[in-house]
Amino acid sequence: MVFRLPSMITNTKEIVLKRRNKIQGGVPKGHLAVYVGDYNEGKKRYVVPLSCLSNPAFQELLSLSEEEFGFSHPTGGLTLPCDEDTFIHVVTCQLDSPGKYED
């Protein structure tokens, strides 16, 4: 039996992100809810750790969000204007190296 460890890690992180989405009663302390995805396919809600805010790639997504939506987001929450794959890549890179962007 052959195991592909990188793909297993990526799939596991994706499952964790989606499970956080299903937490009842709101967003846990130390986390932030964001909406990601295409308008045609619908937005998906993700809950990410606040540590992502120090990631330059995540900060760029926030800047793009401000340019596109200002402070009036169509879903009522923070909407990131990128596809789901890009978002997952940015977040999993942050999770791979959690202390890399912290001061």
Side-chain angles (χ1 to χ4, degrees):
M1 181 182 298
V2 176
F3 291 99
R4 289 190 168 76
L5 190 57
S7 65
M8 287 174 55
I9 291 171
T10 301
N11 291 339
T12 302
K13 288 179 181 176
E14 189 172 343
I15 291 167
V16 169
L17 287 172
K18 288 187 178 184
R19 281 192 186 149
R20 286 184 183 164
N21 181 27
K22 296 178 183 179
I23 294 174
Q24 299 297 322
V27 179
K29 184 176 181 177
H31 291 76
L32 165 73
V34 296
Y35 292 89
V36 178
D38 188 14
Y39 287 112
N40 298 332
E41 297 174 16
K43 301 269 185 212
K44 291 186 181 178
R45 182 175 182 255
Y46 286 91
V47 178
V48 296
L50 289 178
S51 62
C52 287
L53 295 175
S54 63
N55 179 337
F58 195 84
Q59 291 173 0
E60 181 62 27
L61 290 177
L62 292 174
S63 294
L64 291 172
S65 177
E66 181 183 11
E67 289 175 16
E68 187 165 331
F69 303 113
F71 294 105
S72 176
H73 292 267
T75 58
L78 180 59
T79 304
L80 300 177
C82 66
D83 59 57
E84 191 175 5
D85 291 334
T86 301
F87 171 75
I88 289 172
H89 175 74
V90 167
V91 173
T92 55
C93 285
Q94 170 69 24
L95 294 175
D96 284 342
S97 54
K100 185 175 180 181
Y101 303 107
E102 295 176 0
D103 293 331

